[in-house]
Amino acid sequence: MSSILGVLFNLLTFPGLVLNGFVQNYYVQRYSVPVERLDADALENLDDDELEERLDGVDASLDADESGEVVVDFYGIDDYRSAFVVTLVPFFVCSMVAFATFVLAVPLLEGEVRLWWLPFWLGLAVGAHTFPNAVATDALWQQSRSTGSPLRFVGYPVVAVSKVVNALRFLWIDLVYALVLFIAAKALIGALVF
């Protein structure tokens, strides 16, 4: 996805970015995931190789006060259960919120209510930002390979799909996932009505 289209897509689907970020930050704080604040001025002085080395294996996002970047070290999570929760629970929570919003949108759409597009747009926005990012996915993949936890049987498939989604983001695959959630909600409502 080109950078201009990506920015436009993120602007149009900002509720999904906000919800996903909120849920992710909640679990990062709850499970004491290692974070570090980086000075924005110091980052600007690094060349590309130094910057890549400094941010290798971490997820950086601009903090609310914009005084620097907050770096989440997903590789620094010690136990598999915490890594699983911090990486995948936001995916499940956001998927459920998107699905529930679509369930609300379907009767409005079929009832020709004028504001049907509002819950549809919210479901689409949330559904398009459910998958974990590449850094979190890679960290969980590494931990899944080295753990004996039965949670890995859930982690492996979701992480594998997330890796594919991250590789195919240029094809708007996140939007396709949101549309699949809409189709599932429509099928559920259709099954309940008849």
Side-chain angles (χ1 to χ4, degrees):
M1 174 172 4
S2 75
S3 62
I4 292 173
L5 285 176
V7 169
L8 183 60
F9 179 74
N10 287 340
L11 285 173
L12 291 173
T13 59
F14 75 90
L17 284 172
V18 171
L19 179 63
N20 189 284
F22 177 76
V23 174
Q24 180 92 49
N25 287 337
Y26 171 78
Y27 284 102
V28 164
Q29 291 175 3
R30 181 166 181 198
Y31 284 87
S32 301
V33 176
V35 295
E36 178 183 351
R37 180 176 304 284
L38 301 177
D39 180 25
D41 295 330
L43 288 176
E44 288 179 8
N45 295 332
L46 298 176
D47 66 23
D48 289 341
D49 291 335
E50 291 172 324
L51 184 62
E52 184 176 326
E53 181 180 316
R54 179 71 177 99
L55 297 178
D56 185 37
V58 296
D59 179 29
S61 60
L62 194 61
D63 192 25
D65 66 7
E66 299 186 16
S67 62
E69 294 214 26
V70 174
V71 178
V72 178
D73 184 7
F74 288 97
Y75 290 95
I77 303 173
D78 292 333
D79 66 296
Y80 185 74
R81 184 177 176 276
S82 297
F84 179 89
V85 169
V86 169
T87 304
L88 295 184
V89 168
F91 166 75
F92 293 125
V93 167
C94 290
S95 292
M96 286 188 297
V97 168
F99 182 77
T101 307
F102 284 138
V103 166
L104 294 174
V106 168
L108 296 177
L109 174 66
E110 293 176 359
E112 298 180 22
V113 174
R114 288 184 184 201
L115 292 178
W116 66 266
W117 60 269
L118 185 60
F120 178 79
W121 167 68
L122 288 172
L124 202 64
V126 172
H129 292 286
T130 58
F131 282 96
N133 65 28
V135 174
T137 300
D138 289 339
L140 187 61
W141 181 262
Q142 283 186 1
Q143 284 208 9
S144 294
R145 292 175 28 196
S146 65
T147 189
S149 171
L151 281 176
R152 75 180 185 274
F153 295 115
V154 176
Y156 265 132
V158 176
V159 168
V161 170
S162 293
K163 283 181 158 291
V164 170
V165 167
N166 285 322
L168 297 177
R169 282 229 154 101
F170 67 95
L171 292 176
W172 302 79
I173 197 77
D174 295 355
L175 195 57
V176 171
Y177 176 71
L179 291 174
V180 167
L181 289 175
F182 173 72
I183 292 168
K186 193 168 182 173
L188 175 69
I189 294 297
L192 292 176
V193 170
F194 295 109

